[in-house]
Amino acid sequence: MALSLDLLAYYDQPMHLIGFSMGGYIASLAALKLPEKVASLTLVGFDSDGLSTKELSQRKQLLQGINSGSYQCMSQSKLEFFVHCDNAKNQAVVGILKQMEGDLGSHVLASQIKATTDRKNLTAQLAQCQFPVHLITGEQDKVASPKALKRIQQQIPNSERLIVADAGHMLPLEQPKALARYLHAVLS
């Protein structure tokens, strides 16, 4: 987050912050720390309400698997969890996820999980901000579901929500053109 804060502080003009998934958490924290430097906040596949008990349990099990050495790689069912059902066999999407996992390795995954598990609900704080908040999710996102984002949008007065068809959590990989069109429209 320090890099995000340094960049915000560097520029004279307010900036448009965009964060995907865990990056949405980091972008939200930066925006809340320096709201006067934020023109807008766009959260893609991020649920600002924090992690559910089920998600916390899953993360704990995953960390145990990594620490014990029993974690090998993302299972097919876990890959399918992250993408729209039509993309479960799409190698252009699933192949990138597998490559990212291979490139980063389980130690980086463990670090990311540890760094982002103890997160607070940020929705009430975001509701107090003056800048617009754009909430984007895929129609089959199981991490930041359309239902969750509808609830969040209702709590943040200066927000709008977009649900992208034919996408799951990995919306930037699954529907990059739709995401780019939306960002161009709202940030231009």
Side-chain angles (χ1 to χ4, degrees):
M1 183 171 88
L3 181 59
S4 298
L5 292 174
D6 287 348
L7 285 172
L8 279 176
Y10 178 79
Y11 291 99
D12 293 331
Q13 297 296 317
M15 295 175 52
H16 297 283
L17 292 182
I18 302 171
F20 166 61
S21 195
M22 177 176 48
Y25 180 62
I26 294 166
S28 295
L29 290 175
L32 291 169
K33 191 97 168 164
L34 292 172
E36 69 280 3
K37 293 287 196 166
V38 178
S40 71
L41 176 63
T42 302
L43 304 171
V44 182
F46 174 66
D47 182 340
S48 61
D49 279 348
L51 300 176
S52 69
T53 305
K54 180 181 177 183
E55 289 170 303
L56 291 170
S57 175
Q58 290 171 340
R59 284 171 170 245
K60 184 178 179 180
Q61 289 175 351
L62 183 55
L63 281 175
Q64 288 172 343
I66 292 170
N67 292 333
S68 72
S70 63
Y71 178 81
Q72 297 301 316
C73 63
M74 196 181 310
S75 66
Q76 184 62 32
S77 64
K78 192 65 172 175
L79 285 168
E80 291 171 3
F81 174 83
F82 286 114
V83 298
H84 186 276
C85 62
D86 292 342
N87 287 321
K89 303 244 188 282
N90 181 343
Q91 284 307 306
V93 173
V94 175
I96 292 172
L97 291 176
K98 288 180 181 180
Q99 182 181 352
M100 287 181 348
E101 180 185 41
D103 289 348
L104 298 175
S106 61
H107 294 295
V108 171
L109 177 60
S111 295
Q112 290 175 340
I113 291 170
K114 289 176 189 174
T116 61
T117 294
D118 186 27
R119 68 175 83 157
K120 299 173 186 166
N121 181 330
L122 300 177
T123 304
Q125 289 174 280
L126 291 172
Q128 301 304 312
C129 294
Q130 299 303 305
F131 51 77
V133 178
H134 309 284
L135 306 166
I136 308 171
T137 192
E139 70 176 335
Q140 289 185 2
D141 191 328
K142 296 175 185 94
V143 176
S145 72
K147 182 178 177 181
L149 266 56
K150 180 179 182 181
R151 184 180 65 250
I152 291 166
Q153 183 203 11
Q154 291 170 342
Q155 295 175 53
I156 301 176
N158 198 15
S159 68
E160 65 179 44
R161 179 175 54 107
L162 172 69
I163 299 170
V164 179
D166 302 321
H169 185 63
M170 299 308 293
L171 188 154
L173 291 175
E174 297 176 275
Q175 294 295 334
K177 289 180 182 175
L179 179 59
R181 279 191 301 272
Y182 176 80
L183 293 175
H184 184 265
V186 299
L187 303 180
S188 294

